[in-house]
Amino acid sequence: SDRLIIDYLAKVRDEHKRSPSKKPHASYEMILEVGNREHHPSVEQSEKIMKEWLDEFQNRNPNVVVFGAYFHADEPEGAPHMHVDYYFVKRENKRGLSLQVSQNGALNEHGYLPIKENGKMVTPQTQFVRDSRELLRDISKEKGLYVDLEAKSSQGQKHLSTAEFKQTTKLKE
């Protein structure tokens, strides 16, 4: 009885306080959008694509528990998009609870392992998000939409290193 976990969320928060480098998360969010504010399908078509994506996403990822998916098109300057809230569940445990909230454990069970691409390490989380977005592209293509694979910044800004970003911020202040 002394090892019984009464409040799992409180346990996760307490572990984070003791060891901040672990960075445990109770949940994650992914925001998906078909198109951009200038070019996007109708609200009805976007909603159908998102619903199909969500169904296929849940079928493909048994270790991901979606507890909220919110589609909306009510922002005046934005395209229809969906917020997906989820958490990872590790099922194959040798010790402890039979089900555990564990991002790395769940992704490893699903076959996502750290890999090297073009000389850089790619984390399981990055691979998971990339595959999820690729699924959205595939469904959009199936619906007859043109998909531009190159993400373009609306302002043409290049990515700044941390030091450059801090310096730019100081200059603006």
Side-chain angles (χ1 to χ4, degrees), residues 116-133:
K116 223 174 198 182
E117 286 182 358
N118 301 325
K120 293 183 180 180
M121 288 303 292
V122 181
T123 65
Q125 172 68 9
T126 301
Q127 296 171 54
F128 170 76
V129 170
R130 183 177 56 196
D131 288 352
S132 299
R133 293 189 185 284

Side-chain angles (χ1 to χ4, degrees), residues 152-168:
K152 295 180 180 122
S153 171
S154 60
Q155 298 172 355
Q157 295 176 338
K158 69 177 186 109
H159 178 75
L160 300 175
S161 69
T162 305
E164 290 172 327
F165 177 76
K166 286 179 180 179
Q167 188 176 25
T168 304

Side-chain angles (χ1 to χ4, degrees), residues 29-164:
E29 181 180 44
M30 186 183 310
I31 301 173
L32 300 161
E33 177 180 78
V34 178
N36 56 35
R37 69 175 137 184
E38 287 90 26
H39 304 287
H40 58 81
S42 69
V43 173
E44 294 79 21
Q45 190 176 17
S46 294
E47 189 174 12
K48 286 179 186 175
I49 290 169
M50 294 297 185
K51 182 169 179 9
E52 188 175 329
W53 176 87
L54 185 60
D55 292 340
E56 185 61 28
F57 176 79
Q58 290 179 310
N59 288 337
R60 287 185 181 195
N61 300 296
N63 289 5
V64 177
V65 178
V66 175
F67 64 89
Y70 318 99
F71 175 83
H72 61 99
D74 59 350
E75 295 174 10
E77 294 294 318
H81 60 279
M82 181 168 66
H83 298 254
V84 181
D85 296 324
Y86 58 94
Y87 58 92
F88 294 96
V89 176
K90 181 180 176 201
R91 299 176 188 279
E92 299 170 10
N93 299 300
K94 294 178 183 170
R95 294 182 294 148
L97 300 170
S98 58
L99 291 177
Q100 296 178 11
V101 176
S102 170
Q103 177 188 21
N104 284 338
L107 291 174
N108 290 346
E109 283 179 10
H110 199 59
Y112 291 105
L113 300 169
I115 59 172
K116 223 174 198 182
E117 286 182 358
N118 301 325
K120 293 183 180 180
M121 288 303 292
V122 181
T123 65
Q125 172 68 9
T126 301
Q127 296 171 54
F128 170 76
V129 170
R130 183 177 56 196
D131 288 352
S132 299
R133 293 189 185 284
E134 187 62 35
L135 174 62
L136 182 60
R137 285 186 202 100
D138 293 343
I139 291 170
S140 298
K141 285 179 188 177
E142 286 174 13
K143 300 293 182 193
L145 298 176
Y146 168 76
V147 177
D148 186 1
L149 297 178
E150 292 297 318
K152 295 180 180 122
S153 171
S154 60
Q155 298 172 355
Q157 295 176 338
K158 69 177 186 109
H159 178 75
L160 300 175
S161 69
T162 305
E164 290 172 327

